Amino acid sequence: MSFGGGFFDYDNDGWLDLFIANGHVYPGVEKTNPGSHYKQINLLLHNDGKGRFSNVTAAAAASGNAFSVRHLGRGAAFADFFNDGHVDIVVGNNDDPPLLLKNSSGGSNHFVSFKLIGTRSNPDAMGARLRIQGGRTVQIREIVGGGSYLSQSDLRAHFGLGGSTRVDAVEVSWPSGLKQQFRDLQADRFYVVEEGKNSVRAEIFSHP
């Protein structure tokens, strides 16, 4: 029984994949419905970029118990907790501690991340929209609050870029009606965009 989840690009190939947290709501469901389980396995679906998703849960199970041990999954929040360019997941479970799924997918794909700060608009830039072009692909993200059950994901907009090492163009549409454009940004960076300023700045994170 699917309860919470969301789209995110776990391998930074430029296509949004899907994670689903699963868990039934009826204790003892095994007795009334053979084949069903109260605690269930989470699902990871990979976007092949051609309109189809493939179930890669079994492959992901080799990386930890989040995809091999049954839980009462409820909500899921997505964020780059380690600021390494890979989006991680926190899963809220009933009757169990939350799970932190560290994304160790690796690979050679690139990314870019944007933190928006509103001035005329609200400070968290809720309702803002980003449109980027990197290589042959165009992607759009909106800054929104909430998410799945009792969950709030990172407000930074993360984009996988595949093999592209630069972002050709970025357009930010703010709730105030202001539009800003930036060009030729280097990939694998965390950028801060402040409403009304004509330049972006890169955030530098240290890693132990």
Side-chain angles (χ1 to χ4, degrees):
M1 179 175 288
S2 301
F3 217 99
F7 290 93
F8 76 119
D9 188 355
Y10 77 80
D11 55 357
N12 285 333
D13 64 354
W15 297 95
L16 291 175
D17 310 296
L18 177 61
F19 171 85
I20 302 173
N22 294 311
H24 214 285
V25 295
Y26 298 118
V29 65
E30 293 90 345
K31 297 179 181 179
T32 58
N33 189 7
S36 295
H37 298 276
Y38 184 44
K39 292 187 175 183
Q40 300 180 355
I41 298 293
N42 297 322
L43 291 176
L44 182 63
L45 305 176
H46 180 258
N47 187 341
D48 66 4
K50 299 177 182 178
R52 293 181 179 272
F53 288 82
S54 57
N55 189 341
V56 294
T57 304
S63 63
N65 66 7
F67 296 100
S68 59
V69 177
R70 299 182 190 278
H71 296 87
L72 287 177
R74 292 297 183 255
F78 303 84
D80 185 351
F81 284 94
F82 302 93
N83 295 313
D84 59 3
H86 297 282
V87 178
D88 313 292
I89 311 172
V90 170
V91 183
N93 299 306
N94 269 7
D95 302 323
D96 276 316
L99 293 173
L100 173 58
L101 282 61
K102 185 179 187 302
N103 187 341
S104 301
S105 58
S108 59
N109 289 331
H110 302 279
F111 78 96
V112 68
S113 177
F114 295 95
K115 177 181 179 180
L116 302 187
I117 300 176
T119 53
R120 305 181 201 174
S121 305
N122 62 88
D124 289 326
M126 295 289 187
R129 174 179 288 193
L130 293 94
R131 182 183 186 274
I132 76 162
Q133 181 172 350
R136 298 181 178 179
T137 62
V138 173
Q139 300 182 60
I140 294 174
R141 301 282 188 275
E142 291 186 351
I143 310 302
V144 296
S148 66
Y149 182 69
L150 297 178
S151 303
Q152 170 63 58
S153 296
D154 194 347
L155 293 180
R156 293 179 296 182
H158 180 100
F159 298 86
L161 297 174
S164 299
T165 59
R166 306 197 73 81
V167 177
D168 300 320
V170 179
E171 181 180 272
V172 183
S173 299
W174 298 89
S176 65
L178 177 68
K179 289 190 177 182
Q180 293 178 269
Q181 293 185 341
F182 308 95
R183 296 189 177 277
D184 195 26
L185 299 180
Q186 187 174 348
D188 303 324
R189 296 287 187 275
F190 297 85
Y191 292 103
V192 177
V193 182
E194 188 170 341
E195 186 176 12
K197 286 194 173 180
N198 294 325
S199 61
V200 301
R201 62 179 174 87
E203 286 189 300
I204 306 298
F205 297 97
S206 60
H207 297 281

